[in-house]
């Protein structure tokens, strides 16, 4: 039986994007469940078994809620901004290889939507665009809390994007390719994982991940005691949910990227010839660990101050990332690698 | 076909930059133009250029533009930026328009006259956006102009700082 190629593409797109949005929905439940467990509570458990259908109930509620647009807001931008925030985060998933090559019905199928040579650049370019959703949403709301939240969030994202790019660049220089699939295939066994050769880049990337997604302890965009809700203070109903969807999608994509760059993607430790579905499961486990880390840190660390955040970003992380890149370059040039 | 559609979008974006009443609208129109240009690069096979275009222009520079506009416009976010016609009719503005038109015309003539080297036999090279080729050209053959350009940027930055400082001093006195 020969399956036409476009059909395979469509199935891949549906499965991977469905997986991403499903993960984002489950994260909204996990956020509440994990926080409940860490505070010795039970958490949502009414809708479905273990509360698993809670995201669905939330979604239905969001859709049927009344939508408010504040007076004096720029209506066009106000409506556009949440989509601008969510869409780039979802698009970037397209280049992430969630597994090696699957053998289904005698046909080899690479397990990523798009296998492009400039995968890393594509991902960086589009994840950089999610700033627009935040900054425009904060501006268009015509509210001082929203504007301050939007300004803070975008200042923070721009500052930490530099560190993010420099840490990724160190890995790219080491691997000699911008193709994410090639990067993950180069780390087939556990000894070749980039976490061993780039430990500093791994630590920096993991911390920067929190700042890039505006998560605790860097969540100044929605610093409740100061800014009510930050850039999405004025949003309601589904557009509010879209911001959250975008945030969870960005978290998921960055977790997947971290697993791909530093933890060998779908490679299984000590089992090099593992079948492809085990690889996918390993990949999900690695990414899932980082997703859990997001929640774990949220309930363990206090929020920083904004000036501390900026000092950390520009005076500690940026020089460290630059030095790391320099040392990596020196190692490559002098052939010690 | 796609190219013409993209050109129309890019041109509309460009017109939007000039004719938009609010600076925010201008910035978003410019963003639209950059995106259309990125897709044009992609059509021509320059995937790397397209990604860099989005990364640098759309992702970094336009965000800074937005930042400046938001910070300057803090007082009246909902109000439109009032543009009076007076400065546009001054002789300086006319001179600027003439110079800009002249540069554009010169560019057009130059593009018409220049004969682009014909493609090698068998059409375009297979990997036109090979990053290694770009890097070798940038850091090898064109290393000196490349560094000169960065020096120029540095000079501009220092000049802006000096100007900003001077204005700050004047307003303090």
């Amino acid at each position: 039986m020969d399956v036409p190629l476009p059909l395979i593409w469509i199935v891949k797109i549906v499965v991977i994007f469905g997986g991403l949005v499903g993960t984002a929905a489950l994260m909204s439940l996990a956020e509440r469940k994990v926080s409940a467990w860490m505070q010795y509570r039970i958490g949502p458990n009414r809708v479905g078994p273990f509360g698993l259908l809670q995201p669905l109930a939330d979604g239905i509620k969001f859709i049927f809620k009344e939508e408010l647009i504040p007076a004096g807001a720029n209506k066009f931008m106000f409506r556009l901004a949440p989509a601008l925030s969510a869409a780039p985060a979802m698009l970037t998933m397209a280049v992430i290889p969630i597994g090696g090559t699957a053998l289904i019905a005698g046909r080899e199928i690479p397990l990523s939507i798009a296998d492009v040579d400039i995968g890393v650049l594509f991902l960086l370019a589009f994840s950089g665009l999610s700033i627009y959703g935040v900054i425009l949403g904060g501006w268009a709301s015509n509210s001082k809390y929203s504007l301050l939240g939007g300004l803070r969030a975008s200042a923070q994202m721009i500052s930490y994007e530099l560190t993010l790019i420099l840490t990724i660049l160190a890995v790219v220089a080491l691997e000699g390719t911008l193709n994410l699939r090639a990067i993950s295939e180069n780390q087939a066994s556990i000894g070749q994982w980039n976490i061993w050769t780039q430990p500093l880049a791994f630590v920096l990337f993991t911390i920067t991940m929190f700042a890039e997604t505006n998560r605790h302890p860097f969540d100044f965009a929605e610093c409740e005691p100061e800014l009510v809700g930050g850039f999405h203070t004025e949003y309601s109903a589904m557009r509010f949910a879209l911001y959250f969807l975008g945030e969870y999608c960005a978290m998921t994509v960055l977790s997947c990227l971290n697993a791909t760059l530093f933890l060998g993607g779908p490679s299984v430790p000590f089992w090099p010839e593992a079948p492809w579905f085990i690889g996918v499961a390993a990949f999900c486990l690695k990414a899932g660990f980082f997703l859990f880390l997001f929640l774990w840190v949220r309930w363990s660390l206090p929020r920083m101050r904004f000036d501390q955040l900026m000092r950390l970003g520009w005076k500690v992380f940026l020089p460290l990332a630059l030095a790391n890149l320099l040392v990596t370059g020196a190692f490559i040039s002098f052939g010690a690698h | 076909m796609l190219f013409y559609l993209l050109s129309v979008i890019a041109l509309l974006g460009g017109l939007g930059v000039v004719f938009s009443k609010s600076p925010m609208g201008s910035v978003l129109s410019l963003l639209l133009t950059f995106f259309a240009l990125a897709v044009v690069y992609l059509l021509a096979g320059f995937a790397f250029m397209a990604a860099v275009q989005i990364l640098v222009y759309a992702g970094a520079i336009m965000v800074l533009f937005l930042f400046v506009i938001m910070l300057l416009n803090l007082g009246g976010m909902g109000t439109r930026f009032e543009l009076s016609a007076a400065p546009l009719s001054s002789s300086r503005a006319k001179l600027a328009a003439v110079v800009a038109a002249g540069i554009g015309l010169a560019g057009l003539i130059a593009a018409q006259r220049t004969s682009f080297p014909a493609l090698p036999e068998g059409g375009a090279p297979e990997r036109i956006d090979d990053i290694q080729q770009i890097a070798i050209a940038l850091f090898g053959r064109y290393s000196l102009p490349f560094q000169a350009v960065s020096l120029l940027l540095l000079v501009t930055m220092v000049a802006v700082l000096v100007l900003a400082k001077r204005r700050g001093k004047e307003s303090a006195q």
Side-chain angles (χ1 to χ4, degrees):
Chain A
M1 193 185 84
D2 210 18
V3 189
L5 204 56
L7 192 68
I8 294 178
W9 288 344
I10 292 172
V11 168
K12 270 203 294 195
I13 290 171
V14 168
V15 168
I16 293 183
F17 278 129
L20 177 66
V21 176
T23 310
L26 278 181
M27 275 303 285
S28 74
L29 176 67
E31 178 110 58
R32 295 161 71 181
K33 274 285 192 191
V34 172
S35 66
W37 290 332
M38 290 196 184
Q39 296 165 348
Y40 206 63
R41 291 186 285 117
I42 297 170
N45 64 348
R46 294 289 121 179
V47 194
F50 309 108
L52 272 177
L53 295 179
Q54 184 71 39
L56 208 64
D58 287 344
I60 294 170
K61 185 181 166 188
F62 272 128
I63 289 173
F64 285 110
K65 276 260 184 182
E66 184 192 359
E67 192 182 337
L68 297 168
I69 296 182
N74 189 325
K75 286 204 179 65
F76 176 68
M77 308 241 195
F78 189 80
R79 294 201 174 109
L80 185 69
L84 277 183
S85 165
M90 296 183 191
L91 269 178
T92 44
M93 193 64 197
V95 291
I96 289 190
I98 58 162
T101 313
L103 261 172
I104 301 174
R107 195 188 253 278
E108 289 193 346
I109 303 168
L111 287 176
S112 57
I113 295 176
D115 186 14
V116 286
D117 278 344
I118 51 158
V120 176
L121 273 181
F122 176 89
L123 205 146
L124 286 174
F126 277 91
S127 66
L129 292 181
S130 52
I131 297 180
Y132 282 103
V134 173
I135 197 169
L136 282 179
W139 178 80
S141 300
N142 195 22
S143 137
K144 52 179 178 277
Y145 297 124
S146 301
L147 184 72
L148 279 174
L151 271 179
R152 273 188 183 184
S154 38
Q156 169 184 346
M157 282 159 94
I158 293 172
S159 313
Y160 277 80
E161 211 177 351
L162 284 174
T163 313
L164 194 77
I165 291 175
L166 285 174
T167 51
I168 294 177
L169 203 58
V171 173
V172 168
L174 206 61
E175 299 284 354
T177 175
L178 284 171
N179 188 328
L180 280 170
R181 170 164 297 275
I183 289 178
S184 80
E185 274 167 7
N186 281 350
Q187 314 173 57
S189 72
I190 190 169
Q192 292 167 314
W193 287 10
N194 281 329
I195 186 173
W196 311 125
T197 44
Q198 291 286 342
L200 183 62
F202 172 70
V203 172
L204 288 179
F205 185 93
T206 308
I207 300 175
T208 310
M209 219 161 66
F210 288 81
E212 263 308 282
T213 49
N214 289 320
R215 290 290 300 186
H216 215 89
F218 307 119
D219 58 343
F220 296 97
E222 41 193 294
C223 191
E224 294 93 349
E226 300 163 25
L227 292 178
V228 191
F231 58 91
H232 54 56
T233 305
E234 305 291 343
Y235 279 89
S236 53
M238 203 54 208
R239 285 181 214 285
F240 174 76
L242 213 52
Y243 266 125
F244 264 79
L245 197 64
E247 187 177 313
Y248 286 129
C249 283
M251 281 159 61
T252 311
V253 168
L254 278 177
S255 301
C256 290
L257 184 65
N258 202 338
T260 306
L261 287 178
F262 296 101
L263 294 184
S267 87
V268 187
F270 311 116
W271 191 11
E273 62 279 344
W276 62 272
F277 46 89
I278 304 282
V280 173
F283 183 81
C284 293
L285 261 182
K286 287 167 190 171
F289 166 74
F290 289 114
L291 283 175
F292 177 69
L293 193 69
F294 274 111
L295 306 178
W296 191 4
V297 166
R298 177 172 177 185
W299 296 107
S300 309
L301 295 178
R303 184 183 283 132
M304 297 176 80
R305 250 184 12 236
F306 194 65
D307 59 320
Q308 289 172 333
L309 167 94
M310 281 296 167
R311 196 182 310 136
L312 187 71
W314 288 100
K315 292 192 177 167
V316 181
F317 279 11
L318 193 61
L320 273 180
L322 269 175
N324 183 47
L325 185 62
L326 204 69
V327 171
T328 309
F331 263 83
I332 294 171
S333 309
F334 299 120
H337 166 48
Chain B
M1 185 57 215
L2 198 55
F3 174 75
Y4 289 111
L5 185 70
L6 287 167
S7 321
V8 169
I9 293 176
L11 280 177
L12 281 180
L15 287 177
V17 176
V18 183
F19 290 112
S20 172
K21 282 203 179 101
S22 69
M24 213 64 162
S26 294
V27 168
L28 289 182
S29 309
L30 198 52
L31 199 62
L32 189 69
T33 308
F34 284 149
F35 262 99
L37 285 183
V39 182
V40 169
Y41 290 149
L42 210 57
L43 280 183
F46 291 104
F48 177 74
M49 279 294 289
V52 169
Q53 164 96 2
I54 293 179
L55 184 65
V56 174
Y57 281 101
I61 293 183
M62 295 318 286
V63 172
L64 282 184
F65 274 39
L66 274 187
F67 234 81
V68 171
I69 289 170
M70 279 169 71
L71 283 176
L72 292 182
N73 239 10
L74 271 178
M77 282 176 303
T79 57
R80 287 281 165 96
F81 191 67
E82 284 300 322
L83 249 185
S84 64
L88 283 179
S89 59
S90 73
S91 56
R92 269 191 199 176
K94 276 174 191 157
L95 190 69
V98 168
V99 168
I103 290 173
L105 202 65
L108 267 182
I109 293 170
Q112 279 284 317
R113 291 233 173 143
T114 317
S115 60
F116 291 102
L119 286 174
E121 283 297 312
E126 190 73 0
R127 299 192 39 163
I128 199 167
D129 62 327
D130 193 349
I131 301 156
Q132 276 183 349
Q133 294 300 323
I134 294 176
I136 288 168
L138 205 59
F139 294 107
R141 194 173 156 203
Y142 299 107
S143 164
L144 198 66
F146 179 62
Q147 292 188 16
V149 167
S150 24
L151 204 66
L152 192 70
L153 282 176
L154 185 70
V155 169
T156 320
M157 209 167 77
V158 172
V160 168
L161 273 180
V162 168
L163 284 177
K165 274 240 157 138
R166 186 182 294 161
R167 188 175 296 171
K169 248 181 215 163
E170 273 168 14
S171 63
Q173 288 162 359

